[in-house]
Amino acid sequence: MQENYFADKDFTASDLEGNVLPKGEYDNCKFIQLDIPDADLSGHIFMDCTFESCNLGNSKLQGTSMKSVMFRNCKLTGLQFGDCHPFLFAVSFEDCRMEYVSFHARSMKATKFKKCQLIETDFTEADLSGSHFDECDLRGAQFNGANLEKADLRHAVGFMIDPARTRLKKAKLRLQGLPGLLAGLDLSIEP
């Protein structure tokens, strides 16, 4: 069965039959205001695509390819990015709600997260070296075994990172972020 190929096309809810995004390859496409929670995007291929104001919460990503994909103002709650195809995996996020998302063991060097809620997100064993967390809320995010070398956390809040279990060499932090590194040590620090 031959898969669909779409290039340079904008998709809105009115373009979807039965609220289903057809399986296929999408090259330089834009997805605007799609409300398709629980969608099965398994095996889809997205290259140089943008998702704007979409709800993809709890969608399946088994074997999905994401090569230079931007998510802007999207609800991505519960997504398992660790299930995506690893070859050339590259994503970026801006103004996204990403609670309970998993990037477990995903290589995603220099990924940009801007103004995102990453509540209870699983970054365990992920390679986030050189990544930027600009104005992100990282409450409850898990980083055990992750590589955060040269990552920029200066404008992130709410993180708690165990330096004994996370690679942090040359990571950028502000003084206000130090409690997030010391919390696991059970210290009593006074001003």
Side-chain angles (χ1 to χ4, degrees):
M1 181 175 155
Q2 187 169 357
E3 289 191 7
N4 299 308
Y5 177 77
F6 305 95
D8 305 311
K9 183 172 168 51
D10 290 355
F11 289 87
T12 61
S14 61
D15 297 315
L16 304 184
E17 189 173 314
N19 216 25
V20 174
L21 189 62
K23 188 170 184 175
E25 184 173 336
Y26 296 84
D27 188 358
N28 198 38
C29 291
K30 198 178 267 190
F31 306 91
I32 305 160
Q33 295 183 335
L34 298 184
D35 187 20
I36 52 173
D38 303 307
D40 188 355
L41 302 176
S42 298
H44 286 56
I45 299 170
F46 300 102
M47 296 183 304
D48 299 312
C49 292
T50 303
F51 287 84
E52 291 187 18
S53 302
C54 294
N55 177 7
L56 303 174
N58 296 314
S59 292
K60 294 181 182 114
L61 300 176
Q62 191 67 40
T64 303
S65 292
M66 293 193 180
K67 304 167 186 173
S68 298
V69 176
M70 163 62 112
F71 294 91
R72 185 177 292 122
N73 194 33
C74 292
K75 181 179 178 182
L76 306 172
T77 303
L79 290 186
Q80 302 292 314
F81 285 98
D83 292 343
C84 288
H85 194 286
F87 184 68
L88 298 177
F89 179 82
V91 290
S92 59
F93 305 92
E94 184 177 324
D95 285 317
C96 290
R97 184 174 172 194
M98 304 171 66
E99 297 169 359
Y100 306 103
V101 169
S102 177
F103 293 101
H104 179 79
R106 175 63 51 206
S107 178
M108 45 196 304
K109 296 177 183 180
T111 298
K112 294 192 184 324
F113 297 91
K114 184 173 183 178
K115 296 182 181 178
C116 293
Q117 292 181 19
L118 294 154
I119 312 296
E120 299 290 335
T121 295
D122 180 8
F123 290 110
T124 56
E125 300 178 19
D127 185 351
L128 295 156
S129 55
S131 292
H132 290 260
F133 295 87
D134 189 15
E135 297 182 54
C136 291
D137 186 345
L138 293 163
R139 282 178 290 152
Q142 300 296 313
F143 290 97
N144 287 341
N147 181 353
L148 286 168
E149 292 179 354
K150 298 182 183 176
D152 190 340
L153 293 154
R154 291 178 293 179
H155 301 285
V157 297
F159 60 86
M160 295 179 92
I161 300 170
D162 184 346
R165 295 182 178 172
T166 307
R167 293 168 54 188
L168 288 164
K169 187 174 183 177
K170 297 193 179 183
K172 297 176 185 172
L173 299 155
R174 294 180 119 181
L175 190 57
Q176 296 91 322
L178 289 182
L181 295 178
L182 301 174
L185 299 176
D186 198 25
L187 300 174
S188 177
I189 302 172
E190 297 179 22

Coordinates of all heavy atoms in Angstrom, one line a residue, residues 43-109:
G43 N 4.1 5.8 12.8 CA 4.6 5.6 11.5 C 4.5 6.8 10.6 O 5.0 6.8 9.4
H44 N 3.9 7.9 11.0 CA 3.9 9.2 10.2 C 5.3 9.7 10.1 O 6.1 9.5 11.0 CB 3.0 10.2 10.9 CG 1.5 9.9 10.7 ND1 0.9 8.8 11.2 CD2 0.5 10.7 10.2 CE1 -0.4 8.8 10.9 NE2 -0.7 10.0 10.4
I45 N 5.6 10.5 9.1 CA 6.9 11.1 8.9 C 6.6 12.6 8.7 O 5.9 13.1 7.9 CB 7.6 10.6 7.6 CG1 7.8 9.1 7.8 CG2 8.9 11.4 7.4 CD1 8.3 8.4 6.5
F46 N 7.2 13.4 9.6 CA 7.1 14.9 9.6 C 8.5 15.5 9.4 O 9.4 15.2 10.2 CB 6.5 15.4 10.9 CG 5.1 14.8 11.2 CD1 4.9 13.8 12.1 CD2 4.0 15.3 10.6 CE1 3.7 13.3 12.4 CE2 2.7 14.9 10.8 CZ 2.6 13.8 11.7
M47 N 8.7 16.2 8.3 CA 10.0 16.9 8.1 C 9.7 18.4 7.9 O 8.9 18.7 7.1 CB 10.6 16.3 6.8 CG 11.0 14.8 6.9 SD 11.9 14.2 5.5 CE 10.7 14.6 4.2
D48 N 10.5 19.2 8.6 CA 10.4 20.6 8.5 C 8.9 21.1 8.6 O 8.4 21.9 7.9 CB 11.0 21.1 7.2 CG 12.4 20.8 7.1 OD1 13.2 21.1 8.0 OD2 12.8 20.3 6.0
C49 N 8.2 20.6 9.6 CA 6.8 20.9 9.8 C 6.6 21.7 11.1 O 7.4 21.7 12.0 CB 6.0 19.6 10.0 SG 5.9 18.6 8.4
T50 N 5.4 22.4 11.1 CA 5.1 23.2 12.3 C 3.7 22.9 12.7 O 2.8 22.8 11.9 CB 5.1 24.7 11.9 OG1 6.4 25.0 11.5 CG2 4.8 25.6 13.1
F51 N 3.5 22.7 14.0 CA 2.2 22.5 14.6 C 1.9 23.7 15.4 O 2.6 24.1 16.4 CB 2.2 21.2 15.6 CG 2.3 19.9 14.8 CD1 3.5 19.4 14.4 CD2 1.1 19.2 14.6 CE1 3.5 18.2 13.8 CE2 1.1 18.0 14.0 CZ 2.4 17.5 13.5
E52 N 0.8 24.4 15.1 CA 0.4 25.6 15.8 C -1.0 25.5 16.5 O -1.9 25.1 15.8 CB 0.4 26.8 14.8 CG 1.8 27.2 14.4 CD 1.7 28.5 13.5 OE1 0.8 29.3 13.6 OE2 2.7 28.7 12.8
S53 N -1.0 25.7 17.7 CA -2.3 25.7 18.5 C -3.0 24.4 18.3 O -4.2 24.4 18.1 CB -3.2 26.9 18.1 OG -2.5 28.1 18.3
C54 N -2.3 23.3 18.4 CA -2.9 22.0 18.2 C -3.0 21.3 19.6 O -2.2 21.5 20.5 CB -2.0 21.1 17.3 SG -2.0 21.7 15.6
N55 N -4.0 20.4 19.7 CA -4.1 19.5 20.8 C -3.8 18.1 20.4 O -4.6 17.5 19.6 CB -5.5 19.6 21.5 CG -5.7 18.6 22.6 OD1 -4.8 18.0 23.1 ND2 -6.9 18.5 23.1
L56 N -2.7 17.6 20.7 CA -2.3 16.2 20.4 C -2.1 15.3 21.6 O -1.5 14.3 21.6 CB -0.9 16.2 19.6 CG -0.8 17.1 18.4 CD1 0.6 17.1 17.8 CD2 -1.8 16.6 17.3
G57 N -2.8 15.7 22.7 CA -2.7 15.0 24.0 C -2.9 13.5 23.9 O -3.8 13.1 23.2
N58 N -2.0 12.8 24.5 CA -2.1 11.3 24.5 C -2.1 10.6 23.2 O -2.5 9.5 23.1 CB -3.3 10.9 25.3 CG -3.2 11.3 26.8 OD1 -2.2 11.2 27.4 ND2 -4.3 11.9 27.3
S59 N -1.6 11.3 22.2 CA -1.5 10.7 20.8 C -0.4 9.6 20.8 O 0.6 9.7 21.6 CB -1.2 11.7 19.8 OG -2.3 12.5 19.6
K60 N -0.5 8.6 20.0 CA 0.5 7.6 19.8 C 1.6 8.0 18.8 O 1.3 8.5 17.7 CB -0.2 6.3 19.4 CG -1.1 5.7 20.4 CD -1.8 4.4 19.8 CE -2.7 3.9 20.9 NZ -4.1 3.9 20.4
L61 N 2.8 7.8 19.2 CA 4.0 8.2 18.4 C 4.9 7.0 18.1 O 6.1 7.2 17.8 CB 4.8 9.3 19.1 CG 4.0 10.6 19.4 CD1 4.9 11.5 20.2 CD2 3.5 11.2 18.1
Q62 N 4.4 5.8 18.1 CA 5.3 4.6 17.8 C 5.9 4.7 16.4 O 5.1 4.6 15.4 CB 4.4 3.3 18.0 CG 5.2 2.1 18.1 CD 6.1 2.0 19.3 OE1 5.7 2.4 20.4 NE2 7.3 1.6 19.2
G63 N 7.2 4.8 16.4 CA 7.9 4.8 15.1 C 7.7 6.1 14.3 O 8.0 6.1 13.1
T64 N 7.1 7.1 14.9 CA 6.9 8.4 14.1 C 8.2 9.1 13.9 O 9.0 9.2 14.9 CB 5.9 9.3 15.0 OG1 4.7 8.6 15.2 CG2 5.7 10.6 14.2
S65 N 8.4 9.6 12.7 CA 9.7 10.4 12.4 C 9.4 11.9 12.6 O 8.4 12.4 12.0 CB 10.2 10.1 11.0 OG 10.6 8.7 10.9
M66 N 10.2 12.5 13.3 CA 10.1 14.0 13.5 C 11.5 14.6 13.2 O 12.4 14.5 14.0 CB 9.6 14.3 14.9 CG 8.2 13.9 15.2 SD 7.6 14.7 16.6 CE 5.9 14.0 16.7
K67 N 11.6 15.2 12.1 CA 12.9 15.8 11.6 C 12.6 17.3 11.5 O 11.9 17.7 10.6 CB 13.3 15.2 10.3 CG 13.5 13.7 10.4 CD 13.6 13.0 9.1 CE 13.6 11.5 9.3 NZ 13.6 10.7 8.0
S68 N 13.2 18.1 12.4 CA 13.0 19.6 12.4 C 11.5 19.9 12.5 O 11.0 20.6 11.6 CB 13.6 20.2 11.1 OG 15.0 20.0 11.1
V69 N 10.9 19.5 13.6 CA 9.5 19.8 13.8 C 9.3 20.8 15.0 O 9.9 20.7 16.0 CB 8.7 18.5 14.1 CG1 7.3 18.8 14.5 CG2 8.8 17.5 13.0
M70 N 8.6 21.9 14.7 CA 8.3 22.9 15.7 C 6.9 22.8 16.2 O 6.0 22.7 15.4 CB 8.5 24.3 15.0 CG 7.9 25.5 15.8 SD 8.6 25.7 17.4 CE 9.4 27.2 17.3
F71 N 6.8 22.9 17.5 CA 5.4 22.9 18.2 C 5.3 24.2 18.8 O 6.1 24.6 19.7 CB 5.3 21.8 19.2 CG 5.4 20.4 18.7 CD1 6.6 19.7 18.5 CD2 4.2 19.7 18.3 CE1 6.7 18.4 18.0 CE2 4.3 18.5 17.7 CZ 5.5 17.8 17.6
R72 N 4.2 25.0 18.5 CA 4.0 26.3 19.0 C 2.6 26.4 19.6 O 1.6 26.1 18.9 CB 4.2 27.3 17.9 CG 4.1 28.8 18.4 CD 4.4 29.8 17.3 NE 5.8 29.7 16.9 CZ 6.2 29.4 15.6 NH1 5.3 29.2 14.7 NH2 7.5 29.4 15.3
N73 N 2.5 26.7 20.9 CA 1.2 26.9 21.5 C 0.3 25.7 21.5 O -0.8 25.7 21.1 CB 0.4 28.1 20.9 CG -0.7 28.5 21.8 OD1 -0.7 28.4 23.0 ND2 -1.8 29.0 21.2
C74 N 1.0 24.5 21.7 CA 0.3 23.2 21.6 C 0.1 22.6 23.0 O 0.8 22.8 23.9 CB 1.1 22.3 20.7 SG 1.1 22.8 19.0
K75 N -0.9 21.7 23.0 CA -1.2 20.9 24.2 C -0.7 19.5 23.8 O -1.2 18.8 22.9 CB -2.6 20.8 24.6 CG -2.9 20.0 25.8 CD -4.4 20.0 26.1 CE -4.6 19.1 27.3 NZ -6.1 19.0 27.7
L76 N 0.4 19.0 24.5 CA 1.1 17.8 24.2 C 1.1 16.9 25.4 O 2.0 16.0 25.5 CB 2.5 18.1 23.7 CG 2.6 19.1 22.5 CD1 4.0 19.4 22.3 CD2 1.9 18.5 21.3
T77 N 0.1 17.0 26.3 CA 0.1 16.2 27.5 C 0.1 14.7 27.2 O -0.6 14.2 26.4 CB -1.2 16.6 28.3 OG1 -1.2 18.0 28.5 CG2 -1.3 15.8 29.6
G78 N 1.0 14.0 27.9 CA 1.1 12.6 27.9 C 1.8 12.0 26.7 O 1.8 10.7 26.5
L79 N 2.4 12.8 25.8 CA 3.1 12.2 24.7 C 4.3 11.4 25.1 O 5.0 11.8 26.0 CB 3.4 13.3 23.6 CG 2.2 13.9 22.9 CD1 2.8 14.9 21.9 CD2 1.3 12.9 22.3
Q80 N 4.6 10.4 24.3 CA 5.8 9.5 24.6 C 6.8 9.7 23.4 O 6.8 8.9 22.5 CB 5.4 8.1 24.7 CG 4.4 7.8 25.8 CD 4.9 8.0 27.1 OE1 6.0 7.5 27.4 NE2 4.2 8.7 28.0
F81 N 7.5 10.8 23.4 CA 8.5 11.1 22.4 C 9.6 10.1 22.3 O 10.3 9.9 21.3 CB 9.1 12.5 22.5 CG 8.2 13.6 22.1 CD1 7.4 14.3 23.1 CD2 8.0 14.0 20.8 CE1 6.5 15.3 22.8 CE2 7.1 15.0 20.5 CZ 6.4 15.7 21.4
G82 N 9.8 9.3 23.4 CA 10.8 8.2 23.4 C 10.4 7.1 22.4 O 11.2 6.3 22.0
D83 N 9.1 7.1 22.0 CA 8.6 6.1 21.0 C 8.9 6.5 19.6 O 8.7 5.6 18.7 CB 7.1 5.8 21.2 CG 6.8 5.1 22.5 OD1 7.7 4.6 23.1 OD2 5.6 5.2 22.9
C84 N 9.3 7.7 19.4 CA 9.5 8.2 18.0 C 10.8 7.5 17.4 O 11.7 7.1 18.1 CB 9.8 9.7 18.0 SG 8.3 10.7 18.3
H85 N 10.8 7.5 16.1 CA 12.0 6.9 15.4 C 13.2 7.8 15.7 O 13.1 9.1 15.6 CB 11.8 6.9 13.9 CG 12.7 6.1 13.1 ND1 14.0 6.5 12.9 CD2 12.6 4.8 12.6 CE1 14.7 5.5 12.3 NE2 13.8 4.5 12.0
P86 N 14.3 7.3 16.1 CA 15.5 8.1 16.6 C 16.2 8.8 15.5 O 16.9 9.8 15.7 CB 16.4 7.1 17.3 CG 16.0 5.8 16.7 CD 14.6 5.8 16.3
F87 N 16.2 8.3 14.2 CA 17.0 8.8 13.1 C 16.6 10.3 12.8 O 15.5 10.6 12.5 CB 16.9 8.0 11.9 CG 17.8 8.4 10.8 CD1 19.1 8.3 10.9 CD2 17.2 9.0 9.6 CE1 20.0 8.7 9.8 CE2 18.1 9.4 8.6 CZ 19.4 9.2 8.7
L88 N 17.6 11.2 13.0 CA 17.4 12.6 12.7 C 16.3 13.3 13.5 O 15.8 14.3 13.1 CB 17.2 12.9 11.2 CG 18.3 12.5 10.3 CD1 17.9 12.7 8.8 CD2 19.6 13.2 10.6
F89 N 16.0 12.7 14.7 CA 15.0 13.3 15.6 C 15.4 14.7 16.0 O 16.5 14.9 16.5 CB 14.8 12.4 16.8 CG 13.8 12.9 17.8 CD1 12.4 12.7 17.5 CD2 14.1 13.7 18.9 CE1 11.5 13.1 18.4 CE2 13.2 14.1 19.8 CZ 11.9 13.9 19.6
A90 N 14.6 15.7 15.7 CA 14.9 17.1 16.0 C 13.5 17.8 16.2 O 12.7 17.9 15.2 CB 15.7 17.8 15.0
V91 N 13.3 18.4 17.4 CA 12.1 19.1 17.7 C 12.4 20.4 18.4 O 13.5 20.5 19.0 CB 11.1 18.2 18.5 CG1 10.6 17.0 17.7 CG2 11.8 17.7 19.8
S92 N 11.4 21.3 18.5 CA 11.6 22.5 19.3 C 10.1 22.9 19.8 O 9.2 22.5 19.1 CB 12.2 23.6 18.6 OG 11.5 24.0 17.4
F93 N 10.1 23.6 20.9 CA 8.8 23.8 21.5 C 8.7 25.3 22.0 O 9.7 25.8 22.6 CB 8.6 22.9 22.7 CG 8.7 21.5 22.4 CD1 10.0 20.8 22.5 CD2 7.7 20.7 22.0 CE1 10.1 19.5 22.2 CE2 7.8 19.4 21.6 CZ 9.0 18.7 21.8
E94 N 7.6 25.9 21.8 CA 7.4 27.3 22.2 C 5.9 27.4 22.7 O 5.0 27.1 22.0 CB 7.6 28.3 21.1 CG 7.5 29.7 21.5 CD 7.8 30.7 20.4 OE1 8.7 30.4 19.6 OE2 7.2 31.7 20.3
D95 N 5.8 27.9 24.0 CA 4.5 28.1 24.6 C 3.6 26.9 24.6 O 2.4 26.9 24.3 CB 3.7 29.3 23.9 CG 4.2 30.6 24.2 OD1 4.5 30.9 25.4 OD2 4.4 31.5 23.3
C96 N 4.2 25.8 24.9 CA 3.5 24.5 24.9 C 3.2 24.0 26.3 O 4.0 24.2 27.2 CB 4.3 23.4 24.2 SG 4.3 23.7 22.4
R97 N 2.1 23.3 26.5 CA 1.7 22.6 27.7 C 2.1 21.2 27.5 O 1.5 20.5 26.7 CB 0.2 22.8 28.0 CG -0.2 22.2 29.3 CD -1.6 22.5 29.5 NE -2.1 21.8 30.7 CZ -3.4 21.7 31.0 NH1 -4.3 22.2 30.3 NH2 -3.7 21.0 32.1
M98 N 3.1 20.7 28.3 CA 3.7 19.4 28.0 C 3.7 18.6 29.3 O 4.8 18.0 29.7 CB 5.1 19.6 27.4 CG 5.1 20.4 26.2 SD 6.7 20.8 25.6 CE 7.3 19.2 25.2
E99 N 2.7 18.5 30.0 CA 2.6 17.8 31.3 C 2.7 16.3 31.0 O 2.0 15.8 30.1 CB 1.4 18.2 32.1 CG 1.5 19.7 32.5 CD 0.2 20.2 33.0 OE1 -0.8 19.4 33.1 OE2 0.1 21.4 33.3
Y100 N 3.4 15.5 31.9 CA 3.5 14.1 31.8 C 4.0 13.6 30.5 O 3.6 12.5 30.0 CB 2.2 13.4 32.2 CG 1.7 13.9 33.5 CD1 0.6 14.8 33.6 CD2 2.2 13.5 34.7 CE1 0.2 15.3 34.8 CE2 1.8 13.9 35.9 CZ 0.7 14.9 36.0 OH 0.3 15.3 37.2
V101 N 4.9 14.3 29.8 CA 5.5 13.9 28.6 C 6.7 13.1 28.9 O 7.4 13.4 29.9 CB 5.8 15.2 27.7 CG1 6.6 14.9 26.5 CG2 4.5 15.9 27.3
S102 N 7.1 12.2 28.0 CA 8.3 11.4 28.2 C 9.3 11.6 27.0 O 8.9 11.4 25.8 CB 8.0 10.0 28.3 OG 9.2 9.2 28.5
F103 N 10.5 11.9 27.3 CA 11.6 12.0 26.4 C 12.7 10.9 26.8 O 13.9 11.1 26.6 CB 12.3 13.4 26.3 CG 11.4 14.4 25.8 CD1 10.7 15.3 26.6 CD2 11.2 14.6 24.4 CE1 9.9 16.3 26.1 CE2 10.4 15.6 23.9 CZ 9.8 16.5 24.8
H104 N 12.2 9.9 27.5 CA 13.1 8.9 28.1 C 14.1 8.4 27.1 O 13.8 7.9 26.0 CB 12.3 7.7 28.6 CG 13.2 6.7 29.2 ND1 13.7 6.8 30.5 CD2 13.6 5.5 28.7 CE1 14.4 5.7 30.7 NE2 14.4 4.9 29.7
A105 N 15.4 8.5 27.4 CA 16.6 8.0 26.6 C 16.6 8.6 25.2 O 17.3 8.0 24.3 CB 16.6 6.5 26.6
R106 N 16.0 9.7 25.0 CA 16.0 10.4 23.6 C 17.2 11.3 23.5 O 17.5 12.0 24.3 CB 14.7 11.2 23.5 CG 14.5 12.0 22.2 CD 14.5 11.2 21.0 NE 13.5 10.1 21.0 CZ 13.6 9.0 20.3 NH1 14.7 8.9 19.5 NH2 12.8 8.1 20.4
S107 N 17.9 11.2 22.4 CA 19.0 12.1 22.0 C 18.3 13.3 21.4 O 17.7 13.2 20.3 CB 19.9 11.4 21.1 OG 21.0 12.3 20.7
M108 N 18.5 14.4 22.0 CA 17.9 15.7 21.5 C 18.8 16.9 21.9 O 18.4 17.8 22.6 CB 16.5 15.8 22.0 CG 16.3 15.5 23.5 SD 14.6 15.3 24.0 CE 13.8 16.7 23.5
K109 N 20.0 16.8 21.4 CA 21.0 17.9 21.6 C 20.5 19.2 21.1 O 19.9 19.3 20.0 CB 22.3 17.5 21.0 CG 23.0 16.3 21.5 CD 24.3 15.9 20.8 CE 24.9 14.6 21.3 NZ 26.1 14.3 20.7

